[in-house]
Amino acid sequence: MQKTCKQCAQLFEITQEDLAFYDKISPVFAGKKYSIPVPTLCYFCRMIRRLSFRKERWLYNRTCDLSGKQMVSAYPRESIINRRFPQFPVYSNDEWWSDKWDAKIFGRSYEFSKPFFDQFFALQALVPRMSLIQQKPMENSVYCNAASRCKNCYLIFSANQNEDCYYASWINYSKDCVDNLSVQGCELCYDCITCTDCYHCFFSQEAKNCTDCYFVKNCLGCKDCFMSVNLVQKQYCIFNKQYSKEEYFKKLKSIDFGSREVIKNLKLQFKEICQKSVVKYYVGAANENSTGNYLNNTKNCLTCFEFADCEDASYSMNINKAKNVMDYSHWGENAEMMYECQACGYDVYNMAFCNLCWSGCNNLLYCDNCFSSQNCFACVGLRKDSYCILNRQYTKSEYEDLVPRIIEHMKKTPETASRHVASGEPEQTGGYGEFFPEVYSPFAYNESLAYEHLPLSKEDVLARGWQWLDRNQGYEYQGPKVNIPDNIKNVPDDITQKILTCSVTGNFYKVIPKELKFYKEQNLAVPDKSPDQRHLERLALRNPRRLWDRACVKCKAPIKTSYAPERPEIVYCEACYLKEVY
């Protein structure tokens, strides 16, 4: 079945496997199944819709709305253009988890005279939220968001079970790592992208089980290699050429990685090498009947990205340890039967259209920020509750009678939201079977993760009726500009007390003491760009979450790949790539 995406107007296909999953995930009440309809958006637009509800990087100082104490928060005090409802109260995480309040005091009855989403988000505007998305235990990691079980970490996001890590996104099970994107099980790694189980690797991409490597890409099980691609279990290689141990270290010693200018030139050289190299049509290993990119140990995972240890999934991204899921973004960790959910994880089961629900949740529909709860519908901020609707408590029989009636009401009452378009016509923004519409996101679009994957201008965002936040750093600091020495050997310790200016954006940033210690121990130059700019430059080196139909350059076999047809890389199917490399 082919449909036209109501947002981007592109054709997309609904497969028989998709239909089978919609049937399997559809809820049943009193023996009657309430079928989930097929989506109205393509998978990429569905992803953008979910990620508009995910904010990671932007943090603010503000006061707790319960105690009045200063805290770090993902929610600014500034007004956001186009906000549909008043902003909810924000509590510090400790106050939020305390027994000083109960989300059920905001419970209300469902009104069949009003649209569902208007009622749901009116409730959300009242229920307090945690200042940061953190799952305990978190130790000495105040400046982290969308993070769980981290220790001594700073400005890491989409991060789980890390220690002594700084400046990273989608980092898991790692230690002593700085400035990374999408790394798993790594230690002492710097400025790496999509690396797994690596130790002491710098400026490397898509490496696995590598040690003591600089500027390597698509390398497996390598040690002591420099400026090389597509190597397997090699040691002492430079530009893919074999050297003796003595020759290798003599040449490596002549390169001063402590110089920022040297690193800049090496990065340009490495990029040119990578663009001319042979690449496998996707990045990953140990996958069966799977399509997408950055896949490891998956089976039957179709159009998935940044996936590990998953089975029977589709149209999903940034997931570890899950099965039987579709349109699922971020987290996992023993997750099953999930549909159109964002940031739900740790032992979750049978949930649809949920946002930020974790720790043993199951059988939830249209819930937000609920924890260890079961059998709830349209609830916000619940903890260890069950059989609630709009935060109001019901008996099991009352719950199973009312939810089907609300679903039928949702089917008959299309949701609308005003758009700033010339026609003035409202846009249908969703109903039963759709995730929360972007217009209801608590975040400005340009601060959400959606903006990283689909950058839009302020004008375009406002024209869609979405939210925008104007940022202004100019008033924060008017002191003298600090010159950062090119070489780490010349960087004084008191630079950690200075406010630095990004050489690209002009935004301000700092170097923290532990970070400087890392640079000095590893002989690495202090960056002259802000952490946000460095993150954007790493993102630009990764392939998009889209697939194109192409042919293997060598054997002409059809492949689905995230390398667009106009890209300069030489793209091989897996069989041809393995013959070339092994």
Side-chain angles (χ1 to χ4, degrees):
M1 176 194 308
Q2 277 204 330
K3 289 180 65 70
T4 301
C5 176
K6 72 175 185 180
Q7 185 132 285
C8 70
Q10 297 293 313
L11 289 175
F12 67 98
E13 187 176 1
I14 304 292
T15 68
Q16 288 301 122
E17 291 77 11
D18 295 343
L19 294 173
F21 184 85
Y22 301 142
D23 181 69
K24 184 164 56 175
I25 198 71
S26 295
V28 176
F29 298 97
K32 181 180 177 181
K33 181 176 292 186
Y34 291 81
S35 298
I36 289 176
V38 298
T40 60
L41 302 181
C42 68
Y43 85 86
F44 188 83
C45 289
R46 299 198 300 267
M47 177 191 77
I48 293 300
R49 181 173 57 187
R50 291 192 304 277
L51 295 187
S52 71
F53 284 80
R54 183 176 186 84
K55 176 183 177 181
E56 296 181 353
R57 305 189 63 79
W58 307 106
L59 303 180
Y60 303 89
N61 287 309
R62 61 169 292 169
T63 55
C64 171
D65 287 320
L66 182 61
S67 66
K69 294 179 181 179
Q70 285 291 321
M71 64 182 185
V72 177
S73 175
Y75 304 99
R77 283 283 189 195
E78 299 99 313
S79 61
I80 294 178
I81 299 171
N82 272 6
R83 188 182 295 283
R84 288 176 60 80
F85 292 103
Q87 182 160 323
F88 37 73
V90 179
Y91 292 176
S92 71
N93 283 33
D94 287 341
E95 296 275 6
W96 195 93
W97 284 105
S98 72
D99 58 3
K100 297 178 182 178
W101 71 285
D102 185 347
K104 286 195 289 188
I105 65 172
F106 303 100
R108 73 267 313 282
S109 298
Y110 190 82
E111 298 181 54
F112 287 91
S113 61
K114 297 180 180 179
F116 166 78
F117 281 125
D118 277 356
Q119 297 183 67
F120 178 75
F121 285 100
L123 171 65
Q124 189 202 60
L126 299 175
V127 179
R129 295 174 85 87
M130 287 182 282
S131 60
L132 294 167
I133 305 304
Q134 294 187 347
Q135 202 264 3
K136 294 183 178 182
M138 293 286 291
E139 183 178 342
N140 190 31
S141 300
V142 174
Y143 291 92
C144 299
N145 194 34
S148 71
R149 303 177 185 178
C150 292
K151 180 180 179 181
N152 302 330
C153 294
Y154 178 72
L155 291 182
I156 64 172
F157 310 98
S158 285
N160 303 293
Q161 304 187 50
N162 305 290
E163 184 174 350
D164 295 303
C165 293
Y166 320 108
Y167 313 116
S169 288
W170 192 235
I171 177 172
N172 300 293
Y173 312 106
S174 296
K175 184 178 181 181
D176 295 312
C177 291
V178 179
D179 254 341
N180 296 288
L181 172 64
S182 189
V183 299
Q184 301 255 92
C186 291
E187 185 173 354
L188 280 174
C189 290
Y190 176 71
D191 204 2
C192 289
I193 303 170
T194 318
C195 291
T196 305
D197 299 327
C198 290
Y199 177 82
H200 201 252
C201 291
F202 303 146
F203 314 107
S204 295
Q205 301 175 35
E206 295 147 21
K208 187 171 184 178
N209 294 321
C210 291
T211 302
D212 297 322
C213 291
Y214 293 76
F215 292 100
V216 301
K217 185 175 182 179
N218 289 329
C219 289
L220 173 65
C222 294
K223 185 176 180 180
D224 298 308
C225 290
F226 171 70
M227 204 63 77
S228 295
V229 297
N230 295 328
L231 297 182
V232 178
Q233 296 181 347
K234 296 291 186 180
Q235 189 172 12
Y236 309 132
C237 291
I238 301 176
F239 294 107
N240 281 47
K241 181 181 177 182
Q242 185 68 59
Y243 287 82
S244 68
K245 178 180 179 180
E246 294 75 16
E247 290 173 323
Y248 176 83
F249 283 110
K250 182 179 179 180
K251 287 184 176 290
L252 201 68
K253 191 175 181 180
S254 68
I255 302 169
D256 188 0
F257 295 103
S259 166
R260 195 163 51 251
E261 190 64 24
V262 169
I263 294 300
K264 178 182 176 182
N265 292 330
L266 288 173
K267 284 188 173 183
L268 291 173
Q269 188 177 10
F270 186 54
K271 183 178 180 180
E272 186 177 348
I273 290 171
C274 293
Q275 288 179 339
K276 294 178 179 179
S277 67
V278 170
V279 295
K280 187 170 67 172
Y281 74 103
Y282 81 98
V283 177
N287 300 293
E288 180 182 341
N289 187 34
S290 296
T291 60
N293 204 17
Y294 311 116
L295 308 175
N296 286 286
N297 192 30
T298 68
K299 181 180 180 181
N300 303 327
C301 293
L302 305 178
T303 316
C304 293
F305 305 85
E306 288 129 312
F307 248 54
D309 304 315
C310 294
E311 185 174 347
D312 297 322
S314 54
Y315 317 122
S316 300
M317 53 285 305
N318 295 91
I319 301 294
N320 289 334
K321 300 175 184 174
K323 62 181 179 179
N324 291 313
V325 300
M326 181 184 287
D327 287 305
Y328 181 30
S329 304
H330 287 273
W331 215 339
E333 302 296 338
N334 192 26
E336 187 173 357
M337 292 292 289
M338 307 289 287
Y339 177 58
E340 278 280 27
C341 290
Q342 196 282 130
C344 298
Y346 285 137
D347 307 314
V348 290
Y349 176 80
N350 196 35
M351 294 161 53
F353 322 111
C354 290
N355 181 58
L356 287 166
C357 299
W358 67 68
S359 293
C361 287
N362 62 74
N363 298 307
L364 302 185
L365 288 168
Y366 288 104
C367 287
D368 182 34
N369 278 259
C370 292
F371 310 97
S372 304
S373 296
Q374 302 82 37
N375 300 296
C376 291
F377 184 91
C379 290
V380 181
L382 297 185
R383 298 171 289 185
K384 298 182 179 180
D385 288 298
S386 59
Y387 298 112
C388 293
I389 302 170
L390 290 177
N391 285 29
R392 182 178 177 183
Q393 184 69 63
Y394 292 87
T395 65
K396 179 181 178 182
S397 59
E398 290 171 334
Y399 176 87
E400 293 182 345
D401 174 68
L402 181 54
V403 171
R405 292 169 56 206
I406 296 175
I407 290 175
E408 292 296 341
H409 175 249
M410 292 175 70
K411 291 179 181 179
K412 297 173 183 176
T413 312
E415 302 287 335
T416 60
S418 296
R419 293 190 64 186
H420 299 281
V421 293
S423 67
E425 294 179 359
E427 172 197 20
Q428 184 171 323
T429 59
Y432 177 63
E434 300 275 9
F435 191 74
F436 311 134
E438 292 96 328
V439 292
Y440 293 98
S441 172
F443 305 122
Y445 183 83
N446 55 319
E447 290 198 317
S448 74
L449 205 61
Y451 187 75
E452 291 187 357
H453 298 277
L454 184 64
L456 297 172
S457 69
K458 177 179 177 178
E459 292 72 24
D460 286 341
V461 169
L462 297 181
R464 296 177 186 223
W466 303 348
Q467 300 180 104
W468 185 272
L469 178 65
D470 290 319
R471 297 175 55 82
N472 180 12
Q473 280 200 335
Y475 65 88
E476 296 177 3
Y477 175 68
Q478 301 296 331
K481 184 175 180 178
V482 177
N483 292 318
I484 307 171
D486 173 75
N487 202 297
I488 186 63
K489 297 180 179 67
N490 301 320
V491 176
D493 289 344
D494 69 356
I495 198 171
T496 60
Q497 301 169 28
K498 311 282 187 173
I499 294 179
L500 309 181
T501 305
C502 176
S503 63
V504 176
T505 65
N507 289 339
F508 303 125
Y509 70 104
K510 295 197 71 175
V511 171
I512 64 173
K514 288 184 177 180
E515 176 190 359
L516 181 63
K517 182 172 182 277
F518 179 90
Y519 296 147
K520 290 194 170 185
E521 289 177 345
Q522 305 302 327
N523 187 37
L524 295 167
V526 171
D528 66 347
K529 300 173 183 176
S530 70
D532 293 324
Q533 180 61 29
R534 300 187 317 252
H535 171 68
L536 290 176
E537 291 180 2
R538 283 191 291 274
L539 275 177
L541 294 174
R542 303 189 81 216
N543 288 5
R545 291 175 180 169
R546 296 182 185 270
L547 296 177
W548 285 268
D549 289 314
R550 289 184 61 170
C552 169
V553 171
K554 186 148 187 145
C555 72
K556 309 306 178 186
I559 52 176
K560 278 192 176 293
T561 178
S562 59
Y563 289 96
E566 64 271 15
R567 291 278 293 266
E569 294 88 352
I570 304 165
V571 184
Y572 280 11
C573 68
E574 187 158 24
C576 291
Y577 178 83
L578 294 177
K579 290 177 184 177
E580 179 85 11
V581 173
Y582 283 82

